[in-house]
Amino acid sequence: MGIYIYDKSLTAAVMILAIITIRTLALYKLPRRTFSILWAIVIVHLFVPFSVASPFNVYAGVNWLKQMMVSTKEVIVPVSATSVDRGNIMVLKTATGTPLASISLYMILWLAGMFVFAAYFFRIYLKCRREFAMSLPVPKECSAHWLNLYRTRRTVEIRQSDRIRSPLTYGVLRPVILLPKAMDWTDEAQMRYILAHEFVHIRRFDAVSKLVLVLTLSVHWFNPLVWVMVVLANRDIELSCDEAVIKDLGEHNRSAYAMTLIGMEENRGRLTFLFNHFSKNVMEERIESIMRIKKTTVAGIGLALAFIIGVPAVFAADAAAIPNHEAAGVTNESAITLSATDEDTGLTGISEDGGVTWVQESEYQKNNPVIVWWTAEEYSKWLDQEKINLQSIVDAPGWSQERVDSAILRYEQELEQIKAGVKYSRTVDGDDNTSFVYTEGPVGISSINDSSEN
């Protein structure tokens, strides 16, 4: 599980960097909700245990380049001498010495961090809810007017509190709009802008989005780019909400709405991941976004869809099947194999999947022979000497010139096949009498034969 979380977080980090770049270049050119959707895609990628294969993603290109650059002079399957320290892996064994499970210190650290952050956020949430519970209802005639103007299927309550200085919304099933007690209830224009904004949050279930962001941060607390994503995602929720309000009230209200934002701005110390706050830390970004909101165009929608489809296809999907030697159990010299020895039994376990499953070393070596493959240069040198050796035994019992010529012809054909990419084993577990032949394709190792002539 720890390796899986790390891998998911690593690929998500690449997506986050891509979205940050797009956001920097096109924040005011795209519908503001585009970025909320892109952040949602990252979160889905972080938690869904599978990815869709795509031949266009960046990892497929990396794999292709790696295959092009890796030297094939000598390939060993598997690299049995390789041992990687993954945080003092502990191997639990049965009475017969078979590995049952592995526990990494890194996994323990990750679980501890997740628990600490989840407990911290939950404590903040409970503290805020206790404070909010001390709030008072607004005058009935005032709340009834606005609740009739902004109808929803859920029961919404408008309350006031002297413990806050700017409006916020909390709750999912029974949302509450909490307003500062010192607010001017007679300023109908200001109330209209504020409540329009808060009701957009309610209609979009932004409270749920905030909770999901907190959950994501708790699980992937070790990834600094996830922290950046959470900050930007909260900003983009507000930007998208502002855009919806302006489209609902009309672009001619942009300036007045922006002035309301400025009037409600505050320097607050409270953590607001869990609540939809009317104001925000980077007020300049919101003001500029509001003043640059324009009517959505077909080109803008098309560009947004291109990013929404393209980003996961390029950065989130798994690499489609690419022909490589790993499909046949053949890996290059940089392949990683984990090994761990039980101090009590002295038995060594081997894992090829990052510590998820383990087998005993003896069983592993039985099923995974160490193969050294010929290179064209080495095979050519060997063949030159073999030709001399074969010519020297012409007319020996069982060796006619015709048989020698036939053997040389076969070896020359093998040399041409090696040059074309076919792999011929030089030794198998140190034995040169067993020959493995590997070809690209669905078959992989196409033939296994005994040879006594080389």
Side-chain angles (χ1 to χ4, degrees):
M1 177 61 74
I3 296 297
Y4 164 79
I5 291 292
Y6 172 79
D7 289 342
K8 277 288 187 177
S9 198
L10 185 62
T11 53
V14 179
M15 287 184 65
I16 293 170
L17 287 173
I19 296 172
I20 291 174
T21 302
I22 296 171
R23 191 181 187 278
T24 302
L25 298 176
L27 176 61
Y28 306 122
K29 299 177 183 178
L30 296 172
R32 305 302 186 264
R33 204 168 187 181
T34 302
F35 298 99
S36 294
I37 296 174
L38 289 174
W39 297 129
I41 292 172
V42 176
I43 293 172
V44 170
H45 174 74
L46 284 169
F47 288 103
V48 172
F50 61 86
S51 299
V52 179
S54 169
F56 307 106
N57 74 75
V58 66
Y59 311 111
V62 171
N63 287 343
W64 179 80
L65 288 173
K66 188 166 71 172
Q67 289 181 38
M68 294 293 292
M69 297 173 65
V70 167
S71 171
T72 58
K73 286 184 178 182
E74 185 172 280
V75 185
I76 300 176
V77 183
V79 186
S80 56
T82 301
S83 177
V84 179
D85 182 6
R86 292 284 181 143
N88 299 324
I89 295 174
M90 297 178 289
V91 183
L92 305 180
K93 299 179 181 287
T94 63
T96 59
T98 302
L100 289 177
S102 62
I103 302 176
S104 170
L105 292 181
Y106 294 136
M107 182 180 292
I108 295 174
L109 178 62
W110 165 66
L111 289 172
M114 182 174 65
F115 175 79
V116 168
F117 279 102
Y120 172 75
F121 290 132
F122 187 65
R123 179 176 175 272
I124 293 293
Y125 179 79
L126 291 180
K127 179 181 178 182
C128 292
R129 288 301 296 260
R130 284 196 296 268
E131 292 183 2
F132 298 161
M134 299 173 64
S135 62
L136 301 172
V138 301
K140 187 174 182 180
E141 61 277 6
C142 180
S143 63
H145 169 71
W146 295 109
L147 291 175
N148 287 330
L149 183 62
Y150 297 104
R151 293 181 177 273
T152 65
R153 293 184 178 181
R154 288 169 289 163
T155 301
V156 179
E157 188 177 2
I158 303 176
R159 301 179 67 87
Q160 57 183 330
S161 173
D162 58 0
R163 294 175 176 268
I164 64 171
R165 289 178 289 174
S166 61
L168 59 84
T169 297
Y170 68 92
V172 178
L173 299 180
R174 297 177 62 87
V176 175
I177 299 175
L178 196 58
L179 304 176
K181 189 174 182 179
M183 179 173 288
D184 184 2
W185 305 100
T186 62
D187 190 341
E188 186 166 338
Q190 177 181 261
M191 289 290 294
R192 183 186 181 193
Y193 295 140
I194 292 173
L195 293 176
H197 181 98
E198 300 303 333
F199 272 98
V200 170
H201 281 310
I202 293 171
R203 287 197 301 269
R204 292 183 173 183
F205 288 88
D206 284 340
V208 176
S209 300
K210 300 273 185 174
L211 291 173
V212 172
L213 287 171
V214 170
L215 174 63
T216 304
L217 191 58
S218 298
V219 174
H220 294 269
W221 58 268
F222 56 88
N223 188 339
L225 285 174
V226 171
W227 287 82
V228 174
M229 178 191 72
V230 170
V231 171
L232 293 180
N234 275 280
R235 291 189 192 178
D236 290 330
I237 287 174
E238 297 300 329
L239 296 183
S240 177
C241 188
D242 292 337
E243 183 181 53
V245 172
I246 296 302
K247 289 184 177 180
D248 181 44
L249 300 180
E251 293 185 10
H252 61 281
N253 286 304
R254 285 185 301 187
S255 297
Y257 179 73
M259 291 302 297
T260 299
L261 285 184
I262 295 173
M264 300 305 300
E265 182 181 8
E266 64 166 341
N267 295 319
R268 59 183 183 278
R270 187 193 307 274
L271 185 64
T272 59
F273 286 161
L274 300 174
F275 311 103
N276 296 309
H277 224 288
F278 188 82
S279 60
K280 58 185 288 297
N281 291 332
V282 188
M283 184 59 62
E284 294 82 1
E285 183 181 66
R286 284 186 72 182
I287 299 301
E288 184 175 1
S289 174
I290 291 168
M291 300 310 296
R292 295 178 65 170
I293 290 175
K294 298 179 181 179
K295 184 177 180 180
T296 303
T297 63
V298 175
I301 294 174
L303 186 58
L305 288 174
F307 284 127
I308 291 171
I309 296 172
V311 167
V314 174
F315 296 100
D318 288 333
I322 304 173
N324 57 59
H325 303 317
E326 295 179 3
V330 182
T331 60
N332 57 54
E333 294 172 323
S334 63
I336 297 177
T337 300
L338 302 183
S339 70
T341 302
D342 189 292
E343 295 181 356
D344 296 330
T345 65
L347 296 174
T348 299
I350 303 293
S351 174
E352 291 185 295
D353 54 11
V356 177
T357 58
W358 294 79
V359 296
Q360 289 188 21
E361 185 177 30
S362 57
E363 186 67 21
Y364 178 81
Q365 291 176 345
K366 184 190 302 181
N367 297 327
N368 296 269
V370 177
I371 304 175
V372 177
W373 304 96
W374 283 108
T375 66
E377 181 181 359
E378 292 170 342
Y379 194 92
S380 178
K381 291 180 179 179
W382 171 85
L383 181 53
D384 290 340
Q385 183 60 45
E386 188 67 8
K387 287 179 180 179
I388 297 173
N389 296 338
L390 288 173
Q391 289 296 340
S392 67
I393 61 172
V394 173
D395 296 332
W399 285 95
S400 64
Q401 184 65 52
E402 182 179 357
R403 184 179 178 185
V404 168
D405 292 341
S406 176
I408 292 175
L409 178 61
R410 179 165 66 87
Y411 294 148
E412 289 176 341
Q413 291 173 344
E414 290 180 358
L415 176 59
E416 293 303 316
Q417 290 177 333
I418 292 173
K419 291 179 178 179
V422 178
K423 288 188 173 294
Y424 281 84
S425 65
R426 183 173 182 177
T427 61
V428 179
D429 285 334
D431 182 9
D432 60 1
N433 290 321
T434 301
S435 178
F436 277 48
V437 181
Y438 172 81
T439 57
E440 295 282 2
V443 177
I445 295 181
S446 59
S447 66
I448 304 176
N449 55 76
D450 292 331
S451 173
S452 59
E453 295 179 356
N454 62 328

